[in-house]
Amino acid sequence: MKPRTPIAPFALLIFFSSSITYCFAGNVTYDSRSLIINGRRELIISAAIHYPRSVPGMWPGLVQRAKEGGVNTIESYVFWNGHELSPGKYYFGGRFNLVKFIKIIQQARMYMILRIGPFVAAEYNYGGIPVWLHYIPGTVFRNDTEPFKYHMQKFMTLIVDMMKREKLFASQGGPIILAQVENEYGYYESFYGEGGKRYALWAAKMAVAQNIGVPWIMCQQFDTPDPVINTCNSFYCDQFTPHSPSMPKIWTENWPGWFKTFGGRDPHRPSEDIAFSVARFFQKGGSVHNYYMYHGGTNFGRTAGGPFITTSYDYEAPIDEYGLPRNPKWGHLKELHGAIKLCEHALLNGERSNLSLGSSQEADVYADSSGACAAFLANIDDKNDKTVVFRNVSYHLPAWSVSILPDCKKVVFNTANVRAQSSTVEMVPENLQPSEASPDNGSKGLKWEVFKEIAGIWGEADFVKSGFVDHINTTKDTTDYLWYTTSIIVNENEEFLKNGSWPVLLIESKGHALHAFANEELQGSASGNGTHPPFKYKNPISLKAGKNEIALLSMTVGLQNAGPFYEWVGAGITSVKITGFNSGTLDLSTYSWTYKIGLQGEHLGIYNPGYRNNIKWVSTMEPPKNQPLTWYKAVVKQPPGDEPIGLDMLKMGKGLAWLNGEEIGRYWPRKSRKSSPHDECVQECDYRGKFNPDKCITGCGEPSQRWYHIPRSWFKPSENILVIFEEKGGDPTKIIFSRRKISGFPQ
């Protein structure tokens, strides 16, 4: 029989975590042990919630749910390209109302970590840097080039001054206790040579000169100058040490899940392993910990990066994309936070000693002269449970786990012992219902309006050029779409016209996706993926005698968001050939190509409720199915209830969606594929041992994303205008709303 480990009643933890209050007036300093806020050492347990990845109507609930989970701090990046839409033209409304977001945190009596960057990576389009900056002569991102430094400093100063005006830094009585400049630059600094070193030093000094009254941090930066604190980003940071012995141990990104790509599978990080990593961090002297992400949210519109990052940025975080707790993860971590807070005084003020309890078992004990004592007993064996003796008492330690003893006697929490109740998620279908204010549809159901795009040039061509242009340099990311068009003459004597053996169209592209049309008919589609954006297309092409119009719709699926010199990574077609002619292969790569940026419907803004231009919408109760390049519009009721809503796009192909002019985002229910022949999905995940994103994957052969979040605040009681642009063909009659319901946890 296994020896019993004493477990303390947990009611004390809940009382302790709910009774904490915070005072913001005063200074924030630090030493080797912790941040010192108003002269008092504090443990920081932080939750990343990115304001543009949710909506203002969700912010109070998200912040409160994080606080209920035992978190005392909210962290967010600042998203430069969402704020400075063109040089000197700023936007801080709607989802980008940064001040409103921070004041909600302040009202909740919580702290804030503001990661100004302004480079963010974050699987966000272009890493959060405005695309227009790439086209200012002499600019190299994140390097010692004057144009980049000028615009970076200008934006950084704008944000700092805004925070100062609103008195949001802790030194002014506000909630912001830390600020970050740059982001994970240490991974790439060496690629930029001496210019990289000069840039990193400049960024740190520029930030410090802002005089914000709270410490600055730089994550994954190995040469930060004092007083800037370097911090850790990883699945595990217990072995991390700051470069200066006078600095506290800070973990800016603990990844409790992982992002997804269109065509990728579902990664899962077990609750037991997350709790293990957090407990080990505090066991080894950590004092500031942040979950990236605690609520991932949604990449609304075209804000997803990657490329190929899904519209959902759920991240399998403790609070899901829709704002609901994910259990047992949320509940298990809440218990962990309560246990850690019970150890706070000893952790921050006691002397630490380490005791070996076996070959892979150890205890770290924190004790001070007042008698306060806290112990962490760890078993880092990733296969075997162990029984250890600590202070003459036997303790059972499951493999890969930490037990927390706030009084050095009783275990109040073990990371492998999940007591939180699991919740079950159900997406309850609700058919689209016509709005009461729409024309009487009788019993026939929903009326659709349909508009079909031309396959190729609409209106005036933008330009004509021999050969190919780079997609991104041409569109400058004003749209996902770029038409490449040309024509060929087919002689009536071609053999394939007689025997029905069609020629083959061969296309090479730097990325990201493509639809090929000949004479207005879709011939096929191709795309890269999240690990390899370039692709090759090979499909038969239906040609006729005489003139044939070739129209290739090239698409981006989010821009590169990280890497050395990432802003120079291109996209678009590089080669087009057709095989199967009597004379052999026809190379169109040097032909004259006519280009058109974007779609006609985009240009006219037909997704906006106030759209008034004349366009030939066709009204029908039976919208066309499997028709490419088609806009669909319907006026619908709000779904009943108050649950969060997902748009079920399982039976559609690929495209964009809007509700009442708000950008839902890209949809693409692309089925997941293996990255290698050895990749397999799992039925159960073994939490033991170090985690990586491919360790516990599910969803093989299933759509990477079926449901697309529509915030409740976007709905009106009636007359909700749903607009869909379908690229390659689907069945709009199968589009439905789904209400997201969870059971097993009180909402």
Side-chain angles (χ1 to χ4, degrees):
M1 178 178 177
K2 291 182 179 178
R4 296 249 181 202
T5 301
I7 301 288
F10 206 76
L12 177 61
L13 302 187
I14 298 172
F15 169 79
F16 187 89
S17 62
S18 65
S19 64
I20 299 171
T21 58
Y22 301 98
C23 175
F24 295 114
N27 293 324
V28 180
T29 58
Y30 63 82
D31 62 14
S32 62
R33 296 297 291 269
S34 70
L35 296 183
I36 302 170
I37 304 173
N38 305 319
R40 178 177 175 268
R41 298 187 182 282
E42 291 207 40
L43 282 181
I44 300 299
I45 300 176
S46 174
I49 299 174
H50 293 163
Y51 56 100
R53 283 172 158 154
S54 54
V55 294
M58 294 175 66
W59 293 343
L62 292 172
V63 170
Q64 185 59 35
R65 184 71 80 189
K67 187 173 183 178
E68 291 169 358
V71 165
N72 61 14
T73 304
I74 302 296
E75 173 269 317
S76 181
Y77 286 121
V78 176
F79 294 83
W80 186 2
N81 57 10
H83 292 300
E84 193 170 2
L85 307 182
S86 61
K89 304 295 183 182
Y90 300 104
Y91 177 71
F92 286 91
R95 293 184 290 112
F96 292 90
N97 193 332
L98 175 60
V99 168
K100 180 175 181 178
F101 179 70
I102 297 174
K103 287 188 175 180
I104 288 171
I105 296 166
Q106 184 175 29
Q107 290 161 9
R109 307 299 293 165
M110 299 177 75
Y111 296 132
M112 172 77 185
I113 298 173
L114 191 64
R115 302 173 74 185
I116 304 174
F119 168 78
V120 302
E123 293 73 56
Y124 203 78
N125 197 52
Y126 227 42
I129 296 178
V131 173
W132 54 258
L133 184 53
H134 177 55
Y135 297 99
I136 291 179
T139 300
V140 178
F141 287 6
R142 310 175 75 196
N143 197 7
D144 187 27
T145 59
E146 291 307 316
F148 183 77
K149 292 192 299 180
Y150 168 79
H151 286 281
M152 174 178 166
Q153 182 170 0
K154 180 182 175 185
F155 181 73
M156 171 78 76
T157 303
L158 176 89
I159 296 299
V160 166
D161 288 348
M162 181 182 295
M163 298 302 104
K164 287 180 178 179
R165 268 195 318 272
E166 300 291 336
K167 294 181 167 49
L168 293 175
F169 289 111
S171 55
Q172 302 172 291
I176 301 172
I177 57 172
L178 288 174
Q180 179 177 300
V181 61
E182 250 296 334
N183 187 56
E184 298 182 327
Y185 191 64
Y187 291 141
Y188 310 115
E189 181 179 306
S190 62
F191 290 92
Y192 297 89
E194 289 301 314
K197 292 181 180 180
R198 291 194 302 270
Y199 165 72
L201 182 62
W202 168 85
K205 290 182 175 179
M206 181 269 292
V208 172
Q210 300 282 341
N211 294 316
I212 62 176
V214 302
W216 285 92
I217 59 174
M218 296 179 83
C219 65
Q220 294 300 109
Q221 185 66 41
F222 315 115
D223 55 0
T224 55
D226 288 342
V228 179
I229 307 168
N230 67 312
T231 70
C232 182
N233 292 358
S234 182
F235 288 113
Y236 308 93
C237 282
D238 48 289
Q239 298 303 310
F240 168 77
T241 55
H243 75 81
S244 169
S246 65
M247 294 177 176
K249 184 171 177 172
I250 298 177
W251 191 355
T252 33
E253 292 190 17
N254 181 0
W255 307 312
W258 203 242
F259 57 83
K260 287 177 60 176
T261 59
F262 287 117
R265 292 149 305 162
D266 296 331
H268 301 280
R269 189 177 182 193
S271 305
E272 299 95 327
D273 181 64
I274 304 167
F276 173 80
S277 71
V278 177
R280 286 287 288 168
F281 176 71
F282 285 105
Q283 176 179 354
K284 293 299 181 182
S287 59
V288 179
H289 170 275
N290 178 61
Y291 293 102
Y292 182 101
M293 300 293 297
Y294 196 79
H295 164 73
T298 307
N299 292 313
F300 294 111
R302 299 171 49 251
T303 59
F308 293 96
I309 297 297
T310 55
T311 300
S312 171
Y313 198 64
D314 180 83
Y315 219 85
E316 212 204 13
I319 300 175
D320 73 15
E321 177 182 6
Y322 296 79
L324 302 176
R326 171 175 277 110
N327 274 302
K329 186 172 286 188
W330 182 87
H332 189 52
L333 296 177
K334 175 179 179 175
E335 292 189 18
L336 167 67
H337 302 154
I340 290 170
K341 292 299 283 186
L342 287 176
C343 304
E344 181 172 19
H345 177 80
L347 281 171
L348 299 182
N349 298 283
E351 292 295 324
R352 175 181 154 201
S353 60
N354 178 266
L355 177 66
S356 174
L357 303 176
S359 59
S360 298
Q361 297 76 40
E362 63 177 351
D364 284 276
V365 180
Y366 292 82
D368 70 8
S369 57
S370 72
C373 185
F376 291 73
L377 312 185
N379 179 13
I380 59 175
D381 188 318
D382 61 7
K383 295 181 176 60
N384 304 299
D385 294 5
K386 293 292 182 180
T387 298
V388 300
V389 176
F390 173 69
R391 296 194 172 186
N392 300 318
V393 178
S394 293
Y395 295 88
H396 174 69
L397 295 178
W400 201 251
S401 78
V402 176
S403 285
I404 299 176
L405 294 68
D407 61 356
C408 288
K409 297 175 183 177
K410 293 182 179 179
V411 175
V412 298
F413 184 85
N414 177 272
T415 59
N417 181 12
V418 179
R419 297 178 289 196
Q421 187 175 358
S422 295
S423 55
T424 302
V425 176
E426 183 182 6
M427 299 300 286
V428 180
E430 296 284 348
N431 290 331
L432 303 185
Q433 297 293 329
S435 174
E436 296 92 340
S438 64
D440 182 16
N441 293 318
S443 60
K444 294 183 180 180
L446 188 64
K447 185 181 80 170
W448 291 88
E449 292 187 87
V450 178
F451 169 68
K452 191 175 188 305
E453 292 265 347
I454 297 170
I457 304 302
W458 52 269
E460 296 290 328
D462 285 318
F463 59 92
V464 179
K465 184 180 186 300
S466 295
F468 302 118
V469 297
D470 180 81
H471 181 129
I472 299 170
N473 286 341
T474 304
T475 66
K476 294 181 172 58
D477 198 43
T478 56
T479 173
D480 282 354
Y481 303 104
L482 178 63
W483 283 106
Y484 296 64
T485 68
T486 193
S487 61
I488 61 172
I489 304 296
V490 173
N491 191 291
E492 61 185 10
N493 295 323
E494 289 292 341
E495 194 66 27
F496 64 77
L497 295 173
K498 302 173 184 177
N499 61 25
S501 178
W502 293 114
V504 175
L505 176 63
L506 305 173
I507 303 172
E508 295 182 11
S509 173
K510 293 180 287 185
H512 304 148
L514 175 139
H515 303 308
F517 295 83
N519 302 316
E520 292 276 333
E521 296 294 325
L522 179 63
Q523 305 296 302
S525 305
S527 65
N529 57 55
T531 56
H532 190 68
F535 63 90
K536 295 181 180 180
Y537 170 100
K538 182 179 181 180
N539 250 8
I541 181 171
S542 176
L543 299 174
K544 63 184 180 181
K547 187 176 182 180
N548 291 260
E549 299 291 341
I550 310 296
L552 307 178
L553 182 59
S554 175
M555 293 160 286
T556 49
V557 190
L559 301 190
Q560 195 86 14
N561 58 250
F565 303 102
Y566 75 90
E567 72 272 27
W568 301 93
V569 176
I573 296 166
T574 57
S575 172
V576 178
K577 298 177 182 179
I578 303 177
T579 64
F581 287 93
N582 292 349
S583 59
T585 297
L586 181 64
D587 190 345
L588 306 182
S589 301
T590 57
Y591 271 44
S592 178
W593 288 83
T594 303
Y595 292 87
K596 189 66 180 180
I597 298 169
L599 307 168
Q600 184 178 10
E602 279 185 308
H603 178 74
L604 295 174
I606 63 176
Y607 46 80
N608 287 318
Y611 164 77
R612 291 291 180 269
N613 286 335
N614 293 325
I615 197 170
K616 294 180 180 179
W617 287 100
V618 176
S619 296
T620 178
M621 297 293 183
E622 297 181 0
K625 302 173 183 177
N626 301 315
Q627 177 173 288
L629 303 179
T630 303
W631 293 83
Y632 299 96
K633 180 168 69 172
V635 182
V636 299
K637 288 182 181 178
Q638 178 177 204
D642 59 0
E643 300 92 346
I645 298 299
L647 187 67
D648 188 344
M649 302 296 278
L650 181 63
K651 298 300 182 180
M652 297 299 284
K654 179 181 180 294
L656 299 167
W658 295 261
L659 183 80
N660 296 325
E662 299 283 0
E663 299 175 291
I664 298 169
R666 300 183 182 99
Y667 69 85
W668 191 4
R670 186 185 191 186
K671 291 186 177 180
S672 65
R673 304 171 184 176
K674 292 183 177 182
S675 300
S676 73
H678 304 292
D679 286 347
E680 297 294 341
C681 284
V682 299
Q683 298 299 318
E684 293 184 10
C685 181
D686 186 350
Y687 75 87
R688 300 173 300 178
K690 287 199 170 183
F691 178 79
N692 67 74
D694 294 322
K695 180 179 178 181
C696 299
I697 48 179
T698 63
C700 291
E702 298 176 5
S704 300
Q705 186 174 354
R706 174 176 174 176
W707 290 280
Y708 297 80
H709 180 211
I710 307 179
R712 275 283 182 178
S713 61
W714 287 3
F715 283 95
K716 301 182 294 184
S718 63
E719 295 187 84
N720 294 283
I721 301 173
L722 178 66
V723 177
I724 307 294
F725 173 67
E726 171 57 47
E727 297 171 9
K728 60 181 183 177
D731 185 352
T733 66
K734 295 296 196 302
I735 298 173
I736 59 175
F737 291 132
S738 295
R739 293 184 291 128
R740 189 173 180 88
K741 301 184 73 171
I742 61 171
S743 59
F745 184 86
Q747 296 185 48

